[in-house]
Amino acid sequence: MTVRKSIVRGALAIAIIGVAAFWWLTIPARLPAGELPPRSPDLANGQTVFNAGGCASCHATPGQSDRTKLGGGLAIPSPFGTFHVPNISPDPADGIGGWNEADFATAVLKGTSPEGTHYYPAFPYGSYQRARLDDVRDLFGYLKTLPAVAGRAPGHELPFPFNIRRGVGIWKALFLDGKPFTPDPAQSAQWNRGAYLVNGLGHCAECHSPRNFLGGIVAAQRFAGGPNPEGQGFVPNITQKGLADWSDKDIGYFLETGQTPEGDTAGGSMARVIRNTSQLSAEDRAAMAVYLKSLPPVDGPPRPPRTKKE
């Protein structure tokens, strides 16, 4: 009886320690408001960040043409369930009109809501964590100038255990490092600008990289393409394995027009991306092109045979 009690007590102690460790590891990170000294936003830069970050691609209300009406509602399928993109318009009830700068910066850089819960990484804060704080603050200032849109998106449709938000903290511990972009002094200013846009605001790796079974980017095959995270088609390799025949000008022109050197036109989700990159300056598109041309060739996962529809 004594041995049995000892086993039970030991198991209970292990369970308590395990729960405590899980709770500690999954505490949502926040950015204290005191870290944000007063400043006036640069709205022109905020608009650039808006376009570079592709905010309209996901958050613009489906079924209407105004990319500044950010009422959300887009459904994003994934292997983990269907995510519904939220309203980020300045509407005080249904959007982010009641947020302060710290709330917004915490959401973008840490993936944590104003209520202190984890956002799912369908919101690409794995890349946005590289963004400069001032850029995020300028974006918030710009968003407040856009039309308020009433209405909330439906809740996510996720099966157990993916519907437990607290578990996202484990994902963050595995795949986030919280480090902002650091320029490479050995590279040019243009290259560094392109690296910042591609890896941070542009979050290109989020779609153009294969993922492991936990949904984390496979670091060794970053930018090497893979199955479309939304479940249909295959996202191309954008290292020199896939873009060796493209020049810097080809890439810049594609980011402006969606036209490839072969005369094809970007479709699907990439067409939404082009609507954003086409709004960037020619200098920013050229910087992205220079950086992408510098990526060494990396083999991605094998691509399945193309169907007639593709």
Side-chain angles (χ1 to χ4, degrees):
M1 189 70 174
T2 303
V3 174
R4 184 177 297 176
K5 285 184 178 180
S6 296
I7 293 173
V8 171
R9 288 175 180 171
L12 182 60
I14 291 172
I16 291 173
I17 292 171
V19 169
F22 172 81
W23 198 256
W24 181 79
L25 285 170
T26 59
I27 294 173
R30 295 189 63 85
L31 189 68
E35 292 188 13
L36 302 179
R39 67 184 288 274
S40 298
D42 180 339
L43 297 182
N45 184 54
Q47 185 176 24
T48 296
V49 176
F50 174 80
N51 291 320
C55 305
S57 291
C58 288
H59 291 280
T61 307
Q64 52 85 41
S65 59
D66 188 343
R67 59 195 296 275
T68 68
K69 292 183 177 179
L70 307 176
L74 179 70
I76 300 178
S78 82
F80 307 100
T82 300
F83 298 95
H84 294 276
V85 180
N87 183 331
I88 61 165
S89 80
D91 187 88
D94 299 325
I96 61 172
W99 292 22
N100 59 39
E101 275 194 327
D103 291 335
F104 185 75
T106 294
V108 173
L109 300 175
K110 306 294 185 183
T112 301
S113 75
E115 296 75 32
T117 59
H118 294 296
Y119 284 121
Y120 287 100
F123 177 25
Y125 49 77
S127 293
Y128 289 162
Q129 66 176 332
R130 310 295 179 210
R132 299 184 184 94
L133 179 57
D134 282 352
D135 281 347
V136 175
R137 297 179 74 181
D138 289 343
L139 172 60
F140 182 62
Y142 175 72
L143 291 177
K144 290 195 294 184
T145 70
L146 301 183
V149 180
R152 294 193 180 190
H156 302 316
E157 301 171 54
L158 309 176
F160 178 84
F162 307 120
N163 60 345
I164 301 175
R165 284 183 182 265
R166 190 79 186 196
V168 176
I170 298 296
W171 189 94
K172 289 181 175 180
L174 291 171
F175 301 112
L176 297 190
D177 58 23
K179 296 178 181 178
F181 173 77
T182 302
D184 184 345
Q187 298 288 350
S188 68
Q190 184 184 45
W191 184 95
N192 276 298
R193 175 63 174 172
Y196 175 64
L197 292 172
V198 169
N199 288 291
L201 298 175
H203 60 281
C204 305
E206 300 289 336
C207 286
H208 287 277
S209 306
R211 294 178 178 269
N212 59 28
F213 73 100
L214 292 175
I217 289 174
V218 179
Q221 293 180 304
R222 188 175 175 85
F223 299 119
N228 188 335
E230 297 183 12
Q232 293 183 345
F234 201 88
V235 181
N237 188 322
I238 57 172
T239 72
Q240 283 306 285
K241 186 73 177 183
L243 297 181
D245 295 334
W246 292 41
S247 68
D248 295 3
K249 290 184 178 179
D250 289 336
I251 297 173
Y253 187 71
F254 176 74
L255 294 174
E256 180 183 7
T257 66
Q259 299 291 315
T260 72
E262 297 81 17
D264 291 333
T265 303
S269 58
M270 193 64 205
R272 300 200 303 267
V273 173
I274 298 298
R275 282 196 285 273
N276 297 307
T277 56
S278 66
Q279 302 300 312
L280 297 176
S281 67
E283 291 77 14
D284 275 347
R285 289 192 297 268
M288 294 174 71
V290 165
Y291 175 73
L292 288 170
K293 280 298 292 183
S294 77
L295 294 175
V298 176
D299 287 317
R303 181 169 186 156
R306 295 193 178 191
T307 65
K308 291 182 179 181
K309 290 183 179 181
E310 292 180 295

